[in-house]
Amino acid sequence: MWWLAVLVTIVAVVGAYATWTVTRVERLHRRAGAAEGALLAKLDDRAETVLRFVGNPGFEEVVALALSVVAVPADTQRQRELREYAENDLTRALRELDAGQVWSEDLEAANRRVALARQIHTDFVRDAVASRSLPMAVLLRLHNRLPRPEYWDIEDPVH
């Protein structure tokens, strides 16, 4: 009869570990999704900051790039790639602007927020991808049930 108690204990421990693993993997995937939403919001905020300078001399190219950024949603894989290219072009153009101007403080703050959101998103995606390879996650085939989070391949806007 003692073997029945051991068997019930083993099943309970394995069940608890499986539940914990599923909860952890799902939570990390939700956080990666939320971080991606926050990153997109900060990228949009940066583009809107640039658009405030419409009509100012020297901003023609940067404003055109900001318009291309806000015009591209990130719903499909192709749109996401186009958005990454547009964001990288905008980042390069912002680096070429003269520093020390009155407007540079607003853009520097927006760039810092983008860099922070990008780092947070990258960390959550890394953790979510790593959680998919946990032995229990592989055994439960969670990688088939949950979409794999994607990194954003954008340049760091902070110099």
Side-chain angles (χ1 to χ4, degrees):
M1 206 54 169
W2 63 269
W3 59 270
L4 185 59
V6 170
L7 182 65
V8 168
T9 303
I10 290 172
V11 168
V13 168
V14 170
Y17 179 68
T19 302
W20 174 82
T21 300
V22 168
T23 304
R24 179 170 186 239
V25 171
E26 288 176 345
R27 184 182 71 240
L28 287 171
H29 280 73
R30 278 193 311 272
R31 285 183 178 176
E36 181 173 14
L39 174 60
L40 284 170
K42 293 306 171 194
L43 290 169
D44 289 342
D45 289 347
R46 178 177 72 167
E48 289 174 13
T49 300
V50 171
L51 291 176
R52 290 195 328 226
F53 302 108
V54 170
N56 289 357
F59 275 91
E60 295 82 12
E61 178 188 2
V62 177
V63 167
L65 290 169
L67 284 171
S68 71
V69 163
V70 296
V72 179
D75 299 332
T76 66
Q77 185 62 32
R78 178 70 179 138
Q79 289 173 336
R80 183 184 176 108
E81 290 172 6
L82 291 173
R83 178 75 184 257
E84 287 174 352
Y85 292 135
E87 291 293 348
N88 287 333
D89 290 343
L90 178 59
T91 298
R92 285 186 217 104
L94 287 173
R95 283 185 188 147
E96 294 174 4
L97 291 176
D98 294 330
Q101 301 293 332
V102 174
W103 46 261
S104 67
E105 290 179 17
D106 293 338
L107 290 175
E108 286 177 12
N111 278 333
R112 281 193 304 271
R113 288 190 295 271
V114 166
L116 180 61
R118 181 182 159 275
Q119 183 61 51
I120 290 170
H121 175 260
T122 301
D123 291 346
F124 279 129
V125 169
R126 182 197 62 226
D127 293 344
V129 169
S131 73
R132 295 166 72 91
S133 63
L134 291 172
M136 187 60 73
V138 172
L139 182 67
L140 296 173
R141 303 178 60 81
L142 294 178
H143 62 281
N144 290 340
R145 195 178 70 171
L146 298 170
R148 186 180 193 279
E150 298 286 331
Y151 291 99
W152 274 80
D153 188 19
I154 56 175
E155 294 182 23
D156 193 8
V158 180
H159 306 293

